Amino acid sequence: AQVLVESGGGSVQSGGSLRLSCAASGYTYSSYSMGWFRQAPGKEREGVAAADIISRTNYADSVKGRFTISRDNAKNTLYLQMNSLNPEDTAMYYCAASGRRWPTLSPHEYSYWGQGTQVTVSS
């Protein structure tokens, strides 16, 4: 079975940093585009960052210049470095895998999902 496990979430003050990790198993990780998504209470899930199989990346405008996505195909692990966090970044963060050959930010194009890790940023 395909399993994605996120870690690294927590509570930080505005301006702080966090690094999320996503460990993948049960499928050929290197053949899938990977993405990070977030969902705040009462809001729709939104794409934050994505990386395709050759590590081309795509970012939501709201996180450009602050977040960096990376993937280690040897470790089957996806990362999201988040800097300059602000309260609007507070959400549950999910990693996901897509069979698309481009770094899509559309949740509908992702097949496998993790359970999420909470990020809370206080002002």
mmCIF file of all heavy atoms in Angstrom, residues 21-39:
data_model
loop_
_atom_site.group_PDB
_atom_site.id
_atom_site.type_symbol
_atom_site.label_atom_id
_atom_site.label_comp_id
_atom_site.label_asym_id
_atom_site.label_seq_id
_atom_site.Cartn_x
_atom_site.Cartn_y
_atom_site.Cartn_z
ATOM 1 N N SER A 21 8.916 17.215 6.568
ATOM 2 C CA SER A 21 9.399 16.063 5.828
ATOM 3 C C SER A 21 8.228 15.143 5.513
ATOM 4 O O SER A 21 7.229 15.115 6.241
ATOM 5 C CB SER A 21 10.434 15.285 6.651
ATOM 6 O OG SER A 21 11.568 16.075 6.937
ATOM 7 N N CYS A 22 8.374 14.404 4.440
ATOM 8 C CA CYS A 22 7.356 13.436 4.045
ATOM 9 C C CYS A 22 8.070 12.176 3.577
ATOM 10 O O CYS A 22 8.754 12.207 2.556
ATOM 11 C CB CYS A 22 6.478 14.006 2.946
ATOM 12 S SG CYS A 22 5.348 12.818 2.189
ATOM 13 N N ALA A 23 7.912 11.107 4.333
ATOM 14 C CA ALA A 23 8.521 9.828 3.977
ATOM 15 C C ALA A 23 7.510 8.991 3.206
ATOM 16 O O ALA A 23 6.384 8.785 3.675
ATOM 17 C CB ALA A 23 8.963 9.102 5.239
ATOM 18 N N ALA A 24 7.914 8.526 2.034
ATOM 19 C CA ALA A 24 7.009 7.786 1.149
ATOM 20 C C ALA A 24 7.434 6.332 1.019
ATOM 21 O O ALA A 24 8.630 6.018 1.035
ATOM 22 C CB ALA A 24 6.983 8.437 -0.223
ATOM 23 N N SER A 25 6.457 5.470 0.870
ATOM 24 C CA SER A 25 6.743 4.056 0.658
ATOM 25 C C SER A 25 5.573 3.401 -0.058
ATOM 26 O O SER A 25 4.479 3.968 -0.113
ATOM 27 C CB SER A 25 6.995 3.345 1.999
ATOM 28 O OG SER A 25 5.860 3.422 2.822
ATOM 29 N N GLY A 26 5.835 2.216 -0.626
ATOM 30 C CA GLY A 26 4.772 1.453 -1.264
ATOM 31 C C GLY A 26 4.522 1.771 -2.728
ATOM 32 O O GLY A 26 3.574 1.240 -3.319
ATOM 33 N N TYR A 27 5.356 2.615 -3.316
ATOM 34 C CA TYR A 27 5.243 2.915 -4.742
ATOM 35 C C TYR A 27 6.595 3.441 -5.211
ATOM 36 O O TYR A 27 7.496 3.693 -4.403
ATOM 37 C CB TYR A 27 4.130 3.940 -5.011
ATOM 38 C CG TYR A 27 4.416 5.340 -4.502
ATOM 39 C CD1 TYR A 27 4.838 6.347 -5.370
ATOM 40 C CD2 TYR A 27 4.248 5.659 -3.152
ATOM 41 C CE1 TYR A 27 5.100 7.621 -4.918
ATOM 42 C CE2 TYR A 27 4.519 6.940 -2.692
ATOM 43 C CZ TYR A 27 4.937 7.916 -3.563
ATOM 44 O OH TYR A 27 5.198 9.189 -3.112
ATOM 45 N N THR A 28 6.747 3.603 -6.510
ATOM 46 C CA THR A 28 8.016 4.066 -7.076
ATOM 47 C C THR A 28 8.094 5.577 -6.964
ATOM 48 O O THR A 28 7.689 6.325 -7.855
ATOM 49 C CB THR A 28 8.160 3.614 -8.543
ATOM 50 O OG1 THR A 28 7.942 2.207 -8.639
ATOM 51 C CG2 THR A 28 9.549 3.956 -9.062
ATOM 52 N N TYR A 29 8.630 6.012 -5.841
ATOM 53 C CA TYR A 29 8.643 7.442 -5.487
ATOM 54 C C TYR A 29 9.227 8.304 -6.606
ATOM 55 O O TYR A 29 8.688 9.358 -6.930
ATOM 56 C CB TYR A 29 9.462 7.615 -4.202
ATOM 57 C CG TYR A 29 9.681 9.026 -3.771
ATOM 58 C CD1 TYR A 29 8.698 9.731 -3.075
ATOM 59 C CD2 TYR A 29 10.885 9.677 -4.049
ATOM 60 C CE1 TYR A 29 8.914 11.035 -2.679
ATOM 61 C CE2 TYR A 29 11.097 10.979 -3.654
ATOM 62 C CZ TYR A 29 10.110 11.656 -2.967
ATOM 63 O OH TYR A 29 10.312 12.944 -2.575
ATOM 64 N N SER A 30 10.319 7.864 -7.192
ATOM 65 C CA SER A 30 11.018 8.690 -8.175
ATOM 66 C C SER A 30 10.226 8.894 -9.453
ATOM 67 O O SER A 30 10.575 9.756 -10.268
ATOM 68 C CB SER A 30 12.386 8.072 -8.501
ATOM 69 O OG SER A 30 12.219 6.771 -9.033
ATOM 70 N N SER A 31 9.164 8.131 -9.653
ATOM 71 C CA SER A 31 8.353 8.230 -10.870
ATOM 72 C C SER A 31 7.147 9.130 -10.707
ATOM 73 O O SER A 31 6.356 9.274 -11.642
ATOM 74 C CB SER A 31 7.876 6.834 -11.295
ATOM 75 O OG SER A 31 8.971 6.014 -11.629
ATOM 76 N N TYR A 32 6.995 9.726 -9.534
ATOM 77 C CA TYR A 32 5.834 10.546 -9.248
ATOM 78 C C TYR A 32 6.232 11.978 -8.924
ATOM 79 O O TYR A 32 7.211 12.220 -8.206
ATOM 80 C CB TYR A 32 5.063 9.982 -8.053
ATOM 81 C CG TYR A 32 4.201 8.795 -8.396
ATOM 82 C CD1 TYR A 32 4.774 7.563 -8.671
ATOM 83 C CD2 TYR A 32 2.822 8.914 -8.458
ATOM 84 C CE1 TYR A 32 3.997 6.480 -8.995
ATOM 85 C CE2 TYR A 32 2.027 7.826 -8.773
ATOM 86 C CZ TYR A 32 2.618 6.615 -9.049
ATOM 87 O OH TYR A 32 1.843 5.538 -9.375
ATOM 88 N N SER A 33 5.442 12.915 -9.436
ATOM 89 C CA SER A 33 5.549 14.281 -8.949
ATOM 90 C C SER A 33 5.037 14.311 -7.511
ATOM 91 O O SER A 33 4.165 13.520 -7.132
ATOM 92 C CB SER A 33 4.713 15.228 -9.803
ATOM 93 O OG SER A 33 5.232 15.315 -11.107
ATOM 94 N N MET A 34 5.591 15.224 -6.720
ATOM 95 C CA MET A 34 5.212 15.332 -5.312
ATOM 96 C C MET A 34 4.808 16.761 -4.989
ATOM 97 O O MET A 34 5.351 17.707 -5.563
ATOM 98 C CB MET A 34 6.387 14.933 -4.415
ATOM 99 C CG MET A 34 6.824 13.482 -4.556
ATOM 100 S SD MET A 34 5.570 12.310 -4.025
ATOM 101 C CE MET A 34 5.434 12.719 -2.284
ATOM 102 N N GLY A 35 3.886 16.892 -4.055
ATOM 103 C CA GLY A 35 3.427 18.225 -3.713
ATOM 104 C C GLY A 35 3.124 18.381 -2.240
ATOM 105 O O GLY A 35 2.901 17.392 -1.530
ATOM 106 N N TRP A 36 3.142 19.611 -1.806
ATOM 107 C CA TRP A 36 2.699 19.991 -0.468
ATOM 108 C C TRP A 36 1.425 20.820 -0.597
ATOM 109 O O TRP A 36 1.356 21.722 -1.435
ATOM 110 C CB TRP A 36 3.765 20.818 0.249
ATOM 111 C CG TRP A 36 4.941 20.023 0.731
ATOM 112 C CD1 TRP A 36 6.172 19.931 0.132
ATOM 113 C CD2 TRP A 36 4.995 19.209 1.907
ATOM 114 N NE1 TRP A 36 6.980 19.105 0.861
ATOM 115 C CE2 TRP A 36 6.287 18.658 1.970
ATOM 116 C CE3 TRP A 36 4.084 18.909 2.918
ATOM 117 C CZ2 TRP A 36 6.690 17.811 3.001
ATOM 118 C CZ3 TRP A 36 4.490 18.067 3.942
ATOM 119 C CH2 TRP A 36 5.779 17.527 3.974
ATOM 120 N N PHE A 37 0.480 20.508 0.250
ATOM 121 C CA PHE A 37 -0.791 21.202 0.272
ATOM 122 C C PHE A 37 -1.102 21.621 1.704
ATOM 123 O O PHE A 37 -0.528 21.082 2.642
ATOM 124 C CB PHE A 37 -1.906 20.287 -0.261
ATOM 125 C CG PHE A 37 -1.701 19.901 -1.683
ATOM 126 C CD1 PHE A 37 -0.821 18.891 -2.036
ATOM 127 C CD2 PHE A 37 -2.371 20.568 -2.693
ATOM 128 C CE1 PHE A 37 -0.606 18.542 -3.357
ATOM 129 C CE2 PHE A 37 -2.168 20.236 -4.020
ATOM 130 C CZ PHE A 37 -1.284 19.225 -4.345
ATOM 131 N N ARG A 38 -2.015 22.553 1.846
ATOM 132 C CA ARG A 38 -2.432 22.940 3.187
ATOM 133 C C ARG A 38 -3.912 23.237 3.207
ATOM 134 O O ARG A 38 -4.501 23.598 2.192
ATOM 135 C CB ARG A 38 -1.633 24.145 3.688
ATOM 136 C CG ARG A 38 -1.865 25.438 2.929
ATOM 137 C CD ARG A 38 -0.889 26.491 3.427
ATOM 138 N NE ARG A 38 -1.083 27.776 2.752
ATOM 139 C CZ ARG A 38 -0.274 28.828 2.881
ATOM 140 N NH1 ARG A 38 0.791 28.741 3.692
ATOM 141 N NH2 ARG A 38 -0.528 29.947 2.235
ATOM 142 N N GLN A 39 -4.477 23.071 4.389
ATOM 143 C CA GLN A 39 -5.896 23.355 4.557
ATOM 144 C C GLN A 39 -6.120 23.948 5.940
ATOM 145 O O GLN A 39 -5.807 23.310 6.953
ATOM 146 C CB GLN A 39 -6.732 22.087 4.381
ATOM 147 C CG GLN A 39 -8.217 22.338 4.360
ATOM 148 C CD GLN A 39 -9.003 21.148 3.871
ATOM 149 O OE1 GLN A 39 -8.517 20.019 3.877
ATOM 150 N NE2 GLN A 39 -10.224 21.382 3.420
#
